[in-house]
Amino acid sequence: MDFMPGADVSLAGLLAASFLSATVLPGGSEAVLLAVLLAHPEQRDTALLLATVGNTAGGMVSYAMGRFIPRKELPGRLALVQRHGTPALLLSWVPLIGDALCIAAGWLRLPPLRSAFMMALGKGARYALIAGIVT
């Protein structure tokens, strides 16, 4: 990974934005990714990697939060995650329901590494699609 002057700050901002937008905090990492890609198209692969890593890490924070919820307190609307297990986390990028899926995965005590992998696949595919449209 070659970092270029000026791109360093943009990439760090992208990492932070993608992390925060995957937690229960509001945010739009897609707009930040677009800005980085338009300003530094030569950093496409690095930007995709950092956005995916940041967003997956944020999803795992939500997963960890779910682990702390006592089993009897979470509502019964977890059919998707209960039925499909970790593959349901391929949809963790979807606004509004993605956070709930990650929290539900933690609450259901799904395997953390497999959960992170499925989150990364879904989130990475979304970012790659966005990058493919721009570049």
Side-chain angles (χ1 to χ4, degrees):
M1 282 189 234
D2 261 348
F3 289 105
M4 302 177 68
D8 290 352
V9 173
S10 297
L11 292 170
L14 174 61
L15 180 64
S18 57
F19 175 81
L20 292 173
S21 69
T23 65
V24 292
L25 299 174
S29 60
E30 296 86 357
V32 178
L33 176 63
L34 286 173
V36 169
L37 292 174
L38 291 172
H40 306 285
E42 71 284 352
Q43 294 292 325
R44 180 184 182 276
D45 293 342
T46 303
L48 286 175
L49 177 65
L50 290 176
T52 301
V53 167
N55 211 243
T56 302
M60 288 305 291
V61 167
S62 296
Y63 172 95
M65 289 169 42
R67 300 274 306 208
F68 289 105
I69 299 172
R71 295 283 298 203
K72 62 183 177 179
E73 291 183 19
L74 204 60
R77 297 185 175 150
L78 303 176
L80 178 69
V81 180
Q82 285 177 320
R83 188 176 326 119
H84 299 289
T86 57
L89 295 172
L90 291 169
L91 299 174
S92 65
W93 62 269
V94 176
L96 301 177
I97 69 161
D99 294 337
L101 291 175
C102 295
I103 291 169
W107 184 76
L108 291 167
R109 304 330 190 241
L110 296 181
L113 290 177
R114 197 171 323 146
S115 296
F117 178 72
M118 291 298 185
M119 282 183 215
L121 281 179
K123 293 166 182 288
R126 173 202 47 192
Y127 287 128
L129 179 65
I130 292 167
I133 292 169
V134 174
T135 56

